[in-house]
Structure formats: C-alpha cells, structure tokens
Amino acid sequence: MAVAAAAIRPMRLAALTRSRCSIFQTAYNPTSARTGAKYLRARLRGPSMVKYYTPEANIAQIMRQWPELEMRNFAEEERLQDVEDKKKRGKGAPKKAKEKGDSRRASRRR
C-alpha cells in the first residue's frame, strides 16, 4: 500500500487538487500563501451586533422632533453652564483664529 502512494507523481496530485478546488468551489492555493479566505468566508458580524444593542435614546433628537413637549436636556444645560463659568475664569478654550496670521503658531515663528 505504501508503495502505491509513493508512486503517485506530484504533478498528478496537483492536478487532483486543482480539480477538487473547482468542484467544491474552494480557492486553489498551491503555494499556501496567506489569502485571508477564512475571514472573507465568515459571515459578517455587524448586522447581528446592531440587532443585539437597542437603539440609544437621543434626548436632543426627541426635543427637535416634538418641540411641543417642552422637554429640557439637563445634561446639556449643565455643560453649557460649565463652559460659561470656565470662560469667566479664563480657563475656556482659546478663540479660533480668523486668518492664518492671527494664530499663535504664526506669531511664535521667526
């Protein structure tokens, strides 16, 4: 039995593999190069992950959709108040430059 298996030529084995790939619709890869076929064949995870997590309620969107409800976003109001307080203390974000010459970076260059 071992003698019969050793007598099969590599060229015949390659032809067998090629025909097997065409029959079963798999990729013929005689050099065993990495192709990523395993990941391309796998089913996509995105749709099932989107279904798993429930949609997040966006208060700002609800307020825009139904202004007659007169809802208040306390978190946004608090954030705006904090920004205003920081500006009063001089800790806020710097003003944006209107032109390229107004920026701090341009004034630092020699």
Side-chain angles (χ1 to χ4, degrees):
M1 190 73 161
V3 175
I8 299 173
R9 294 184 183 160
M11 191 174 80
R12 298 274 296 182
L13 281 174
L16 176 67
T17 306
R18 196 177 306 113
S19 60
R20 184 188 309 145
C21 289
S22 66
I23 291 169
F24 295 111
Q25 295 178 348
T26 57
Y28 178 63
N29 189 4
T31 59
S32 298
R34 289 180 160 200
T35 61
K38 173 175 138 182
Y39 300 103
L40 294 171
R41 247 191 341 262
R43 91 183 162 81
L44 297 174
R45 295 180 181 156
S48 57
M49 289 177 86
V50 168
K51 277 192 260 176
Y52 180 79
Y53 294 105
T54 57
E56 193 173 300
N58 188 347
I59 295 173
Q61 196 174 26
I62 294 170
M63 288 169 57
R64 272 186 257 118
Q65 225 171 6
W66 294 291
E68 63 273 4
L69 294 178
E70 298 178 8
M71 294 175 65
R72 291 174 59 193
N73 187 348
F74 292 107
E76 180 65 13
E77 287 177 14
E78 186 177 352
R79 185 189 73 80
L80 291 173
Q81 184 64 41
D82 290 344
V83 168
E84 193 176 310
D85 292 342
K86 282 182 181 178
K87 280 185 181 178
K88 284 180 185 174
R89 289 184 286 147
K91 303 288 185 180
K95 292 181 181 176
K96 290 190 175 179
K98 301 286 182 191
E99 298 170 8
K100 196 170 185 177
D102 295 341
S103 70
R104 285 186 62 217
R105 179 181 280 180
S107 64
R108 286 178 48 194
R109 290 189 182 157
R110 296 176 189 169

